[in-house]
Amino acid sequence: MDNVKVRFAPSPTGPLHIGGARSALFNYLLARRYGGKMVLRIEDTDLERSSRQSEVNIIESLKWLGINWDEGPDVGGDFGPYRQTERLNIYTNYAKELIEKGLAYRCYCSEEELEGQRQAFIAKGELPRYSGCCRNLTKEQEEKFLQEGRKPVVRFKVPADQLVVIDDLVRGTVTFESNGIGDYVIIKSDGIPTYNFAAVIDDYLMQITHVIRAEEHLSNTPRQVMVYEALGWKLPKFAHISLILGKDKTKMSKRHGATSVVQYKEQGYLPEAVVNFLALLGWSSGGEEEIFTMEQLIEQFSLDRVAKNPAVFDMEKLKWINGYYIRQSSVERITDLAIPFLQDAGYLPQDITPEQYEWTKLVVTSVQEKIHSLQEIIDFMKLFVGEKVEFENEEAKLVLKEEQVPRVIEALRTKINEMDIIEPEGVKKALKAITKETKLGGRKVFMPIRVALTGQMHGPDLHYIIAILGKELVEKRLKHTLSKN
Ligand code: GLU
């Protein structure tokens, strides 16, 4: 495919949503796969709900995911401006052209009149729609309306008895009847274009070749196609990607988990895990493989492997993928990412010393294999901080009643006291030495020490726990648990 040019066209009315991020990703992958270009266009024509804050959130979320673009409000480009509110005169001029050609017209109906028309259709048992009553106004009638102070909208004249056929790259051929579509507004009375008009003008002028967007826009597409045809423009290719459903097969919503990208970042998901997961919401490679880096996705992505049926948002799968990328990352990277979580939870101060950094690194090393998100580190922290230990259950308590325990604890105290610096390798050796010297098996040594220090029978490697606790806390915890027994 040559000269592929795609766009992601969010409305900045809230933070970047998971569904929007997936649309952006699919566009990005197609562009990069074919050496094409990607545009970021901000569709801010809903003046009430749009904000710069949302635009900033969208841009930052996309960048966090590793999605970038060649043209956009922040990077410029030859086809700008890239915010629709900065292009209003362009839309007005095309609306004028359509009016002059008799393909659009000004409509002066008030809200009440429109409602009356809708009710009349309903009374006749027909679909409520606009009646078309302003289609053929004379100059004099228009003058009169203007003198009454009415502000017109511009409506597109929907041709009667036409079939609008869309060859969708994902959904196949989809046909709509024009008779079901009333003449729709393309410019509102305040001069602001509607989505269905502005998107067409921009997609054409920005030379977009592929329009990839959510399935919920499929019903808008015939309206857009009619505008292309009225202006004599070549259609881009369309691809409408399926809805994202929750596990219960209802539309993905807050009930199913976080819906915005930034929430996933805040919960400790890595960008490459979110990208990998989003790609699998509708796309598959055809094989069993589920782990794909951005580079692999760029190499393999194609629209013909995008499924028609809805994608199901499976949180467990996201966690699994995130756990995979956490394990694959260097300890340093995960440490850097974990620090803000530990700071927020009060386990680290805002300014950390080199010692605190090293300590955090040990914590991360001990749990890196076990966590599925950075946030989960917090769940482990009670193992590593504080003087007191809670037994997780009666079974754990019983471990400390075993007859060898006093000997084992004594041996541990001696070893720890002998050490100048407590670091994992040294502790590991010391623990091994205790099993030898006491002639006890591993379990009989390790389990009571683990329970005495953490109250739990499972957890991260013991030599890490001891190194993280340090001499002082080890002693305090031993005292505390042994006094309870
Ligand atoms: N602004 C629209 C939205 O955010 C864009 C739809 C499209 O890609 O055409 O849903």
Side-chain angles (χ1 to χ4, degrees):
M1 278 199 278
D2 289 333
N3 300 324
V4 167
K5 193 169 181 193
V6 297
R7 87 304 194 269
F8 176 52
S11 303
T13 54
L16 181 65
H17 191 271
I18 281 293
R22 184 194 51 166
S23 296
L25 178 65
F26 283 16
N27 276 291
Y28 173 77
L29 293 176
L30 192 83
R32 294 295 172 256
R33 162 103 202 244
Y34 294 103
K37 293 239 179 307
M38 164 115 166
V39 175
L40 175 68
R41 183 172 75 226
I42 300 295
E43 300 204 331
D44 55 352
T45 54
D46 183 338
L47 305 181
E48 296 258 300
R49 293 172 62 231
S50 296
S51 73
R52 274 298 162 96
Q53 191 195 348
S54 297
E55 181 184 316
V56 168
N57 173 288
I58 291 167
I59 289 182
E60 284 179 356
S61 298
L62 291 170
K63 285 188 177 162
W64 179 72
L65 290 169
I67 295 173
N68 49 55
W69 43 95
D70 308 284
E71 297 171 30
D74 55 337
V75 292
D78 293 342
F79 301 85
Y82 294 94
R83 282 188 199 96
Q84 289 188 325
T85 49
E86 293 165 16
R87 303 171 59 80
L88 298 180
N89 62 333
I90 302 178
Y91 311 122
T92 324
N93 285 340
Y94 281 107
K96 272 195 197 129
E97 181 180 330
L98 287 177
I99 295 174
E100 276 157 21
K101 288 182 173 159
L103 300 172
Y105 59 93
R106 293 191 180 84
C107 161
Y108 296 83
C109 293
S110 67
E111 261 317 308
E112 298 77 59
E113 287 162 345
L114 293 173
E115 185 52 31
Q117 295 170 21
R118 282 192 285 265
Q119 291 305 328
F121 278 115
I122 293 172
K124 282 195 281 180
E126 290 181 34
L127 275 181
R129 57 184 190 276
Y130 173 65
S131 69
C133 64
C134 291
R135 266 193 173 203
N136 300 304
L137 295 179
T138 60
K139 270 225 152 61
E140 293 70 37
Q141 285 171 310
E142 292 210 35
E143 275 303 317
K144 190 171 155 274
F145 282 140
L146 285 173
Q147 273 161 20
E148 286 171 18
R150 294 186 185 229
K151 285 218 157 101
V153 299
V154 180
R155 285 185 187 271
F156 184 80
K157 215 180 245 180
V158 174
D161 306 321
Q162 272 198 5
L163 285 184
V164 183
V165 182
I166 296 155
D167 274 322
D168 191 277
L169 293 175
V170 172
R171 323 213 80 77
T173 305
V174 191
T175 309
F176 293 87
E177 286 183 27
S178 69
N179 289 349
I181 303 173
D183 292 348
Y184 52 91
V185 176
I186 54 175
I187 304 278
K188 292 184 279 183
S189 57
D190 57 2
I192 306 286
T194 57
Y195 157 66
N196 278 323
F197 191 58
V200 170
I201 306 299
D202 290 346
D203 285 340
Y204 172 76
L205 293 178
M206 294 176 184
Q207 302 183 358
I208 301 303
T209 59
H210 292 72
V211 170
I212 306 170
R213 62 185 167 207
E215 185 182 356
E216 60 209 18
H217 285 297
L218 185 60
S219 60
N220 285 318
T221 308
R223 290 173 175 79
Q224 297 181 14
V225 166
M226 288 190 258
V227 175
Y228 279 100
E229 285 171 353
L231 288 164
W233 292 343
K234 186 171 171 267
L235 291 176
K237 293 198 162 52
F238 291 103
H240 288 90
I241 49 184
S242 306
L243 290 179
I244 302 177
L245 304 181
K247 254 200 146 169
D248 58 0
K249 302 284 160 72
T250 62
K251 198 175 172 215
M252 173 79 184
S253 72
K254 291 198 177 107
R255 270 184 312 119
H256 299 102
T259 51
S260 67
V261 170
V262 70
Q263 284 173 296
Y264 285 93
K265 182 182 178 202
E266 286 163 6
Q267 290 175 14
Y269 288 87
L270 304 188
E272 63 268 43
V274 178
V275 161
N276 189 149
F277 177 74
L278 288 176
L280 299 180
L281 284 178
W283 175 83
S284 75
S285 68
E288 295 288 297
E289 184 64 20
E290 299 217 275
I291 294 291
F292 297 93
T293 61
M294 188 71 101
E295 290 68 39
Q296 290 167 329
L297 290 169
I298 291 170
E299 269 166 34
Q300 298 183 36
F301 183 79
S302 72
L303 285 170
D304 54 18
R305 295 221 58 87
V306 173
K308 248 192 205 170
N309 47 330
V312 176
F313 192 99
D314 180 350
M315 195 63 89
E316 290 311 309
K317 187 161 168 179
L318 172 58
K319 283 189 183 156
W320 174 78
I321 295 175
N322 202 44
Y324 170 84
Y325 284 106
I326 288 177
R327 292 193 297 280
Q328 292 294 307
S329 298
S330 69
V331 183
E332 287 75 14
R333 176 179 182 219
I334 301 302
T335 302
D336 292 341
L337 291 173
I339 285 170
F341 288 85
L342 293 169
Q343 286 169 328
D344 280 353
Y347 290 108
L348 285 177
Q350 282 311 308
D351 291 317
I352 60 169
T353 61
E355 290 73 35
Q356 282 165 331
Y357 183 83
E358 288 307 314
W359 179 85
T360 311
K361 225 165 111 178
L362 279 185
V363 169
V364 167
T365 312
S366 74
V367 300
Q368 195 170 356
E369 295 281 321
K370 298 184 183 297
I371 53 173
H372 303 94
S373 75
L374 300 167
Q375 181 73 49
E376 283 180 18
I377 294 186
I378 304 302
D379 304 338
F380 284 92
M381 290 314 288
K382 67 172 186 293
L383 295 177
F384 309 124
V385 293
E387 296 174 13
K388 299 209 165 105
V389 172
E390 298 292 333
F391 291 110
E392 63 172 342
N393 53 29
E394 282 304 306
E395 201 189 342
K397 238 175 174 172
L398 284 179
V399 170
L400 295 186
K401 297 257 191 291
E402 290 170 16
E403 57 85 23
Q404 86 287 9
V405 172
R407 264 194 300 154
V408 169
I409 299 296
E410 207 33 58
L412 176 69
R413 279 188 162 129
T414 312
K415 292 277 180 222
I416 298 277
N417 282 332
E418 282 169 3
M419 282 189 237
D420 288 335
I421 317 163
I422 309 255
E423 48 75 38
E425 277 316 299
V427 177
K428 197 174 181 177
K429 282 197 193 113
L431 291 172
K432 229 186 176 158
I434 297 175
T435 60
K436 280 212 179 116
E437 289 160 19
T438 55
K439 300 204 177 58
L440 293 165
R443 190 199 166 277
K444 288 201 153 171
V445 170
F446 300 146
M447 192 55 93
I449 296 180
R450 178 181 290 284
V451 172
L453 291 176
T454 68
Q456 302 196 3
M457 297 179 63
H458 305 279
D461 286 342
L462 196 49
H463 54 286
Y464 280 109
I465 294 180
I466 292 173
I468 293 164
L469 287 171
K471 251 188 205 180
E472 209 176 305
L473 268 191
V474 165
E475 185 46 40
K476 283 189 171 149
R477 284 191 169 194
L478 288 179
K479 267 209 185 104
H480 180 75
T481 31
L482 299 175
S483 70
K484 283 213 277 193
N485 242 30

